[in-house]
Amino acid sequence: MLENIKIVLVNTSHTGNIGSTARAMKTMGLSQLILVDPITPPDGKSSALAAGAGDVLANAKIVSSVAEAVADCGLVVGTSARSRTLSWPMLEPRECGEKLVAEVPNYPVALVFGRENNGLSNEELQQCHFHVCIPANPEYSSLNLAAAVQTLCYEIRMAYLGLTRQEQSQGEYPLAKDLEGFYSHLEQTLYKTNFIIPQHPGMVMSKLRRLFNRARPETQELNILRGILASIEKTSKDTK
């Protein structure tokens, strides 16, 4: 999934920023770097600042225009300050990461960064579906290019990991009647072991219900709990 997310740098003037961008990308699991008409192509300084991300740097593609860089992309997000003459749909960094990760299974997507001194031109920004702005300190909002790349790549990774965890956690859950059967079994076992005194049951079962409802055990986990209760009952019988 992350392999189809393009990081596009437009007309970069400092080759060190290209290397630092490659490093920022690799730490977040991204690998597709596109350079649009760089002032100077990657050099020794780029390699030095790329550190262990030389593979990302070596595989970077150089193209002549933003249009060429994003031609095959179904979603393009451009980095921009909010103070533009033409209002455009804006995303927060977190929304940006989530949107890119949500759409990348369908087609390549791109995140476009502008020049170090004046960002993207209005013409280039109009080639983007959305703009994203990092809400930095308004009294000093100047971000280094690689730092901006790192910030937004982090949000992409967090969105990706969140989606992965969500997919992994989609287990099979018991029906309401199965949960009620467990609660009944639990209550009977606690009475038999004298954990709950019939004359003074208190709020034990209500609190245990709240505990297990909050934990929301999956079907296999509920079966394990039922097995534990059955084992307790058998041991109680054997000791009598």
Side-chain angles (χ1 to χ4, degrees):
M1 185 184 292
L2 296 180
E3 292 175 356
N4 276 333
I5 299 179
K6 297 182 181 182
I7 300 299
V8 180
L9 303 186
V10 177
N11 208 207
T12 311
S13 58
H14 301 294
T15 57
N17 281 334
I18 298 174
S20 296
T21 291
R23 182 174 183 176
M25 289 171 59
K26 188 164 185 177
T27 59
M28 296 297 129
L30 280 72
S31 58
Q32 195 169 169
L33 175 59
I34 312 295
L35 305 176
V36 176
D37 188 28
I39 301 298
T40 305
D43 56 15
K45 189 171 184 179
S46 305
S47 299
L49 290 176
D55 54 335
V56 175
L57 187 62
N59 292 321
K61 289 177 59 178
I62 297 179
V63 298
S64 59
S65 66
V66 171
E68 184 180 352
V70 303
D72 63 340
C73 294
L75 174 65
V76 181
V77 181
T79 55
S80 169
R82 292 185 184 274
S83 56
R84 291 279 176 173
T85 305
L86 180 63
S87 179
W88 214 258
M90 293 293 302
L91 298 173
E92 296 293 331
R94 189 141 302 171
E95 291 177 299
C96 175
E98 290 169 352
K99 195 159 193 64
L100 290 168
V101 167
E103 296 197 27
V104 73
N106 305 318
Y107 33 65
V109 299
L111 182 57
V112 185
F113 294 84
R115 300 157 187 82
E116 291 97 332
N117 57 347
N118 57 2
L120 295 168
S121 68
N122 283 330
E123 181 183 353
E124 290 162 345
L125 283 167
Q126 289 178 37
Q127 296 178 59
C128 304
H129 299 97
F130 296 90
H131 297 168
V132 60
C133 177
I134 298 172
N137 177 7
E139 295 179 6
Y140 186 71
S141 59
S142 178
L143 269 176
N144 172 268
L145 173 60
V149 173
Q150 184 78 78
T151 300
L152 293 176
C153 285
Y154 170 81
E155 294 297 348
I156 290 171
R157 184 158 188 82
M158 289 301 99
Y160 167 72
L161 292 177
L163 183 64
T164 303
R165 282 192 291 266
Q166 184 179 350
E167 290 172 349
Q168 290 174 343
S169 67
Q170 289 177 351
E172 181 183 346
Y173 291 101
L175 302 176
K177 65 179 182 180
D178 298 322
L179 270 175
E180 287 304 316
F182 164 69
Y183 291 135
S184 177
H185 192 178
L186 177 61
E187 187 172 20
Q188 292 170 15
T189 303
L190 294 179
Y191 276 127
K192 289 175 183 177
T193 59
N194 294 320
F195 187 87
I196 296 179
I197 302 172
Q199 295 82 358
H200 304 285
M203 300 288 290
V204 172
M205 282 308 302
S206 295
K207 290 182 177 179
L208 287 174
R209 277 177 173 266
R210 185 175 64 181
L211 168 65
F212 286 110
N213 283 339
R214 187 168 64 240
R216 201 185 179 197
E218 296 176 2
T219 298
Q220 286 186 339
E221 295 169 334
L222 194 70
N223 291 338
I224 292 171
L225 292 170
R226 293 293 296 266
I228 292 171
L229 295 176
S231 177
I232 292 171
E233 289 179 325
K234 182 177 183 302
T235 303
S236 299
K237 289 178 182 179
D238 292 343
T239 55
K240 290 181 179 178

